[in-house]
Amino acid sequence: MGGVLHEHLAARVREVDLLDPGCGRELAERIVSFTLGGKRLRSVLLWWGWLVGGGAARGGPARAALSAGAAIEMLQTFALVHDDVMDAAPTRRGEPSVHAAHAAEHRTRRYRGESARYGDSMAVLTGDLALAWADDLLYGALADLVTRARAYRVWSDMRTEVMVGQFLDLRSQARAERSVRTALRTDRLKTASYTVERPLQLGTVMAGAPAATEEALRGYGRDVGVAFQLRDDLLDLYGDPARTGKEPGEDLREGKNTMLLAAGIELARECGDLAALVLLEGVGAGPVDPAEAAAALDRVGARALVRGRCRALARRGTARLADLDLAPALLEGLVGFADTAARI
């Protein structure tokens, strides 16, 4: 996967360099370093879906699956770079986020205009270019497959779901919405879809898998994908910054409508914990101490509730694999992936 991704990106950087070396250096090369620095989780899942669906492990069709996996990694770059702009996130993976890095360069080089606006604008361009490259790579990957029409439909649905999920995330912040139902719907569209469900489905569809196989893996992906997002919500507040690459409580500072926060407010109201209720209802309206919020959520039982939901979703997702005739290595990988989502 890494070789296909590097090969594609190197060719695209050369194209941009010919148009303008500065753009190649400041935008295209930044896309390369950002994309190659990821965990490549989505591309691995697509590859597993391809193999589960009966796809060959070698040859031209296998390279098509690898190229589609590389396209998903480019889509991830687009989503993260734009997400950091919308969240005003200063860091990503322990380093300055793309918009923050461009803003810092603007200040250092004493360019005209506002540094923050320059950084945001350059990050938008970076994400747009990554999305264009992702589409190009996916189109090339599907060109010689008889399953290309159905596979491209999966890709199209995935892109739209990401946008709708992001819309719900932003709107719920603006409305100060605190709803478990909306939080889970956002998790399903914004994260579970393009992180787990659709990559698996894209691989199986490309391979021409039976409908039952496709549906079983999609169900697994929906459950485990939401579990992973709930796990991330917990890690955002209770995780070790050395591992997460972020300071605790970013979701609180942004006023995000997570299941953790929404459930915490409901539980605080039900158990009559007025101090917790006032603190949690104030999220998004002003500064909130992450340590105090973490203690309040723990005290009313929200942390335990979300942990329990993670584990239940992981178990349900794993159970969907029971009727599939999976090679031992693939079964081990999928079960292990679900177990990770439940380990919090």
Side-chain angles (χ1 to χ4, degrees):
M1 182 67 63
V4 172
L5 185 58
H6 194 278
E7 178 185 324
H8 173 75
L9 290 176
R12 302 316 298 264
V13 169
R14 287 194 295 271
E15 292 173 7
V16 175
D17 274 336
L18 289 174
L19 294 172
D20 184 82
C23 186
R25 183 173 58 254
E26 296 184 35
L27 248 66
E29 290 183 10
R30 188 159 267 147
I31 291 174
V32 173
S33 60
F34 190 97
T35 306
L36 294 178
K39 298 177 182 177
R40 300 177 197 167
L41 167 66
R42 292 156 187 80
S43 54
V44 169
L45 289 168
L46 185 147
W47 180 248
W48 286 352
W50 167 261
L51 294 178
V52 169
R58 294 179 179 82
R63 183 171 177 81
L66 292 173
S67 295
I72 281 191
E73 295 302 325
M74 296 300 303
L75 181 69
Q76 165 77 340
T77 293
F78 146 76
L80 292 182
V81 171
H82 279 195
D83 195 49
D84 285 344
V85 173
M86 287 181 267
D87 290 344
T91 61
R92 170 68 64 178
R93 300 170 184 161
E95 299 289 338
S97 53
V98 171
H99 68 93
H102 278 295
E105 290 170 4
H106 183 280
R107 289 189 294 270
T108 300
R109 297 170 182 175
R110 298 184 179 180
Y111 289 166
R112 292 184 179 181
E114 299 176 9
S115 297
R117 179 163 182 164
Y118 177 84
D120 288 350
S121 299
M122 294 293 278
V124 169
L125 279 175
T126 302
D128 288 348
L129 185 57
L131 180 58
W133 286 359
D135 282 339
D136 291 346
L137 187 52
L138 194 280
Y139 183 82
L142 301 181
D144 296 327
L145 297 181
V146 296
T147 55
R148 59 184 174 274
R150 286 188 62 224
Y152 196 80
R153 179 66 197 198
V154 175
W155 177 261
S156 177
D157 289 343
M158 175 172 59
R159 290 180 308 172
T160 301
E161 288 163 357
V162 169
M163 308 302 179
V164 174
Q166 186 66 63
F167 165 80
L168 291 172
D169 191 23
L170 289 171
R171 191 183 64 175
S172 65
Q173 290 179 56
R175 292 180 172 182
E177 188 173 1
R178 301 294 177 250
S179 162
V180 170
R181 180 178 179 182
T182 301
L184 289 173
R185 185 162 172 250
T186 303
D187 292 345
R188 159 80 173 82
L189 292 171
K190 182 182 175 183
T191 304
S193 168
Y194 95 105
T195 299
V196 188
E197 179 188 356
R198 295 299 191 181
L200 283 168
Q201 184 193 15
L202 183 55
T204 59
V205 167
M206 288 177 66
T213 300
E214 179 185 340
E215 285 306 308
L217 284 185
R218 285 195 67 185
Y220 165 94
R222 282 192 296 271
D223 290 337
V224 177
V226 172
F228 256 93
Q229 181 56 55
L230 296 179
R231 178 178 183 267
D232 280 350
D233 294 345
L234 290 169
L235 288 174
D236 176 77
L237 194 55
Y238 299 101
D240 179 1
R243 291 181 57 199
T244 64
K246 302 186 296 182
E247 289 301 312
E250 280 195 9
D251 289 347
L252 294 176
R253 284 189 287 274
E254 294 158 11
K256 284 185 177 290
N257 177 44
T258 62
M259 180 187 173
L260 179 64
L261 177 60
I265 291 172
E266 289 181 3
L267 291 168
R269 188 176 290 118
E270 289 172 6
C271 71
D273 191 328
L274 183 60
L277 183 61
V278 171
L279 175 66
L280 298 175
E281 285 187 331
V283 169
V288 174
D289 186 328
E292 290 183 10
L297 289 165
D298 211 352
R299 187 169 70 245
V300 300
R303 183 184 185 185
L305 179 68
V306 175
R307 290 175 73 177
R309 179 64 71 91
C310 280
R311 290 166 180 159
L313 285 168
R315 286 195 300 270
R316 189 170 75 181
T318 300
R320 296 181 189 275
L321 305 175
D323 294 332
L324 297 181
D325 184 18
L326 299 175
L330 290 172
L331 178 60
E332 181 181 355
L334 289 165
V335 171
F337 181 70
D339 287 345
T340 300
R343 200 177 306 133
I344 182 67

